[in-house]
Amino acid sequence: MEKHPDGFAYQLQGYRDGGLEELASSSFRYVVVDLARDAGNSYFTRAEVSRLRASGKIVLAYFEIGAIESFRPEHAAVAADPARLVLNEWASWPGEHFVRYWEPSWWELAVRPRLDRALAAGFDGAYLDTPLAYEEIDQDLVPGLDRAELGRRMVDLIARIAGHAEAARPGFLVFPQNSPELLAHPGYLDAIDGIGVEELFFLATDRPCTASYCAANLAATREIRDAGKTVLAVDYAVRPDNVAAACRRYREEGFEGYVTVQALDRVGAPCG
């Protein structure tokens, strides 16, 4: 399968000198960065994004669509919304809570403004984190909604994002992260251009992914690949043998791959 040899880079913090020059000087094809250099309201400008794109990169803007972090500038408005948007805390990430992502106010307060900011800044596309909210929400807090319905509502949100972006700028790319099994829902594959998937081969950090869900994730990711979508695969490893093993798997699978640290605070070496 044909794949760019240098895969992609994924950095959400620790930008050198607060900018994107280090990424611009790298050889990666795809780059995923936060909308803001400080994960707050110091947003990357259109000029900065343009310079990164001019270096030959396809640049995707990271933001969440199924959860809200306490440090994000939208948090106060989301927490105060009458729709009671904020649900249970994500145990793996203290201070981050899943939300009622199907509510109109979530779209108006968080998702649409983030998407519009990515469009205005000239990003090539959006990298949408936390679709997995559909399987992590405490169902006691959303009576009457089973996992299948929550999954359908997540796909509806992703499709809405894709439609809004296409109307504003045809060709804008949509890459959800994780939950490849959502492809079972009608409309999912039509809405996306690719998918980002974490920990297909190594869990953070340097632990081989051998549980049954690892095989299920890989099988679903292959289905998405076989449907003609781009796969951005990221694994968390630092041992040279594990890094080499992950890179070999990316080549075998035809994925754009990246091996890095879970903090996503540095630019790692491409697989080559």
Side-chain angles (χ1 to χ4, degrees):
M1 296 182 179
E2 187 174 346
K3 180 186 74 67
H4 189 278
D6 288 340
F8 86 111
Y10 186 8
Q11 186 176 12
L12 298 184
Q13 57 184 336
Y15 303 102
R16 183 177 295 175
D17 299 322
L20 300 174
E21 290 77 11
E22 183 181 16
L23 285 164
S25 66
S26 72
S27 59
F28 296 102
R29 181 184 182 194
Y30 287 86
V31 170
V32 177
V33 296
D34 198 286
L35 279 169
R37 74 193 80 246
D38 61 351
N41 56 15
S42 181
Y43 297 105
F44 287 117
T45 66
R46 187 177 185 89
E48 290 175 301
V49 174
S50 294
R51 287 194 293 271
L52 184 55
R53 294 180 67 238
S55 71
K57 311 294 188 292
I58 298 169
V59 187
L60 306 179
Y62 170 98
F63 56 90
E64 299 214 15
I65 62 170
I68 186 73
E69 299 145 314
S70 59
F71 53 80
R72 295 291 181 180
E74 306 93 343
H75 181 267
V78 168
D81 189 76
R84 295 183 296 113
L85 294 175
V86 178
L87 297 171
N88 53 296
E89 187 174 33
W90 192 355
S92 300
W93 298 97
E96 182 166 355
H97 289 76
F98 298 108
V99 298
R100 299 177 190 270
Y101 51 81
W102 55 91
E103 291 287 351
S105 53
W106 174 244
W107 171 263
E108 294 298 335
L109 290 171
V111 179
R112 184 182 56 77
R114 291 170 174 178
L115 180 56
D116 286 346
R117 188 173 294 279
L119 286 159
F123 283 90
D124 292 294
Y127 189 89
L128 312 173
D129 198 8
T130 53
L132 58 70
Y134 91 91
E135 57 183 342
E136 296 289 344
I137 283 174
D138 183 345
Q139 286 184 278
D140 289 340
L141 301 177
V142 289
L145 298 180
D146 61 17
R147 294 296 177 202
E149 175 60 19
L150 289 168
R152 185 191 67 78
R153 292 186 181 198
M154 179 55 73
V155 171
D156 287 348
L157 177 57
I158 293 169
R160 185 176 186 181
I161 290 167
H164 181 86
E166 182 68 17
R169 193 204 308 160
F172 189 83
L173 303 173
V174 173
F175 279 70
Q177 178 173 271
N178 296 326
S179 303
E181 71 280 357
L182 288 173
L183 69 87
H185 290 271
Y188 178 78
L189 285 175
D190 290 336
I192 70 170
D193 297 281
I195 187 171
V197 188
E198 295 176 293
E199 300 179 310
L200 281 173
F201 307 117
F202 289 94
L203 308 176
T205 300
D206 283 307
R207 294 180 293 135
C209 193
T210 57
S212 59
Y213 74 82
C214 302
N217 280 346
L218 181 57
T221 301
R222 286 170 171 162
E223 285 192 60
I224 293 171
R225 175 203 65 195
D226 292 346
K229 311 299 181 179
T230 299
V231 174
L232 306 180
V234 58
D235 286 275
Y236 301 115
V238 295
R239 284 179 43 183
D241 56 334
N242 290 338
V243 172
C247 290
R248 182 179 67 252
R249 293 302 303 272
Y250 302 149
R251 291 190 292 270
E252 292 169 353
E253 297 288 348
F255 298 160
E256 304 279 359
Y258 185 52
V259 188
T260 187
V261 296
Q262 192 179 33
L264 297 171
D265 61 354
R266 65 199 66 179
V267 179
C271 279

